[in-house]
Amino acid sequence: MISLQGNVALVTGSSRGIGRATALRLAEAGADIVLNYARSRSAAETVAENIAQMGRNVLVVKADVSEREDVECMMEAVDREFGRLDIVVSNAASGGFRELMKASDVHFEQTMNTNVRPLITLVQAAMPLFEKTPGFARVIALSSHGSHRALPAYGLIGGSKAALESLARHLALELGDQGVRVNIVQAGLVETDSARLIPGVEQMFEHIEARTCVGPRRLQPEDVANVVTYLASPMSDMIQGQTIIVDGGATVFA
Ligand SMILES: NC(=O)c1ccc[n+]([C@@H]2O[C@H](COP(=O)([O-])OP(=O)(O)OC[C@H]3O[C@@H](n4cnc5c(N)ncnc54)[C@H](OP(=O)(O)O)[C@@H]3O)[C@@H](O)[C@H]2O)c1
């Protein structure tokens, strides 16, 4: 039984999709929650109501994770509200689906600033809060198969996820002795708002569904949230700097 009672968890991009499912799972496990969003205020407030109904404390913070100042202000708000932080889930991501040959410098920078740099800025800004309750801190970031496979129109996001996975390993090396565990959850295709924008996504779902080794199932946000919740718990103490794949075995099908 995973219990996060007494812990505070921040999930970036938790107004929708995998972030929303993760915030709800962490709250079910007992954690108080910091919900972050960039644009979807009413969606975030609905998630907050759901969490409050579970009897957990919840703070909703509008912050663009690509902006260092926003991240630092968010941590100040967490400090004022809770005075501690134990778990950071770096989930928010963006980036248009386009071929690399059509990508501008601006597209590149926006994708990296939203999908890669926040792992560093979040951890830098969270460290003083982690240190208030030394010995236990968890950082989990969301990646995808595009980090090591070539998918149509996915080059920028895939490149950003490859960089993210490397950063996680290096943060694990730098911070492990201070009680911080840094790991990646690499999810297969999940039916969320962003996935619906992928060109040809329905054929991709059908192709993957035929290859999962768990029966004909489509991966749900909750499947990913379950693994994040395990990594957020004390049970994962010896897992450090790893990338855990959640895809129903689709990638082992030859
Ligand atoms: N869906 C998949 O198939 C899949 C597969 C593997 C990995 N992943 C990864 O899982 C994570 C979540 O994906 P998803 O499909 O659930 O995404 P999604 O449904 O598009 O939701 C994205 C979330 O990120 C937030 N966000 C976007 N830009 C932000 C910014 N600059 N600052 C703060 N929040 C921001 C959004 O908030 P607003 O609504 O307020 O803008 C929203 O809550 C991403 O890292 C994604 O790469 C997804």
Side-chain angles (χ1 to χ4, degrees):
M1 168 75 182
I2 290 175
S3 173
L4 298 174
Q5 204 81 39
N7 291 140
V8 177
L10 182 157
V11 184
T12 68
S14 39
S15 54
R16 299 186 276 122
I18 294 167
R20 172 184 178 279
T22 299
L24 291 169
R25 273 287 187 271
L26 294 172
E28 280 167 11
D32 292 329
I33 302 293
V34 183
L35 284 174
N36 159 250
Y37 72 98
R39 288 163 291 268
S40 308
R41 175 189 294 271
S42 74
E45 284 171 353
T46 303
V47 184
E49 281 165 25
N50 296 336
I51 290 171
Q53 281 163 6
M54 294 178 202
R56 307 289 172 250
N57 296 306
V58 55
L59 174 69
V60 181
V61 186
K62 175 179 165 67
D64 179 345
V65 294
S66 69
E67 298 287 340
R68 175 179 285 277
E69 202 180 331
D70 277 25
V71 170
E72 289 174 351
C73 286
M74 177 161 64
M75 294 303 174
E76 285 166 18
V78 175
D79 195 15
R80 281 194 301 276
E81 183 75 15
F82 295 113
R84 66 183 291 167
L85 182 63
D86 309 282
I87 298 156
V88 171
V89 183
S90 184
N91 164 79
S94 67
F97 298 101
R98 60 174 56 78
E99 290 165 18
L100 288 176
M101 296 307 290
K102 294 180 182 156
S104 68
D105 290 354
V106 171
H107 294 140
F108 179 85
E109 281 159 21
Q110 281 175 345
T111 307
M112 297 299 158
N113 289 348
T114 306
N115 298 4
V116 183
R117 199 171 58 195
L119 184 60
I120 303 174
T121 47
L122 281 162
V123 174
Q124 287 175 343
M127 264 327 267
L129 283 162
F130 287 165
E131 284 162 359
K132 291 192 178 199
T133 52
F136 176 85
R138 296 284 187 267
V139 178
I140 302 117
L142 271 295
S143 185
S144 69
H145 288 334
S147 68
H148 63 287
R149 300 178 76 180
L151 307 170
Y154 202 79
L156 283 182
I157 304 176
S160 75
K161 296 301 188 186
L164 188 71
E165 291 179 14
S166 178
L167 290 183
R169 286 188 285 272
H170 288 88
L171 283 170
L173 177 68
E174 287 184 32
L175 300 175
D177 290 347
Q178 296 167 61
V180 185
R181 303 289 175 269
V182 187
N183 290 293
I184 294 279
V185 173
Q186 190 191 94
L189 191 61
V190 187
E191 211 166 16
T192 63
D193 293 348
S194 62
R196 282 182 208 103
L197 300 174
I198 300 173
V201 71
E202 193 48 40
Q203 291 101 303
M204 286 171 76
F205 270 118
E206 285 167 14
H207 177 81
I208 293 165
E209 209 171 336
R211 276 162 179 73
T212 56
C213 306
V214 292
R217 280 178 52 191
R218 289 190 182 189
L219 195 62
Q220 301 300 314
E222 291 73 20
D223 297 315
V224 184
N226 287 340
V227 181
V228 176
T229 303
Y230 165 68
L231 288 175
S233 78
M235 293 174 78
S236 67
D237 203 40
M238 284 300 280
I239 301 181
Q240 175 70 308
Q242 298 301 313
T243 296
I244 312 284
I245 297 171
V246 189
D247 70 349
T251 40
V252 301
F253 189 103

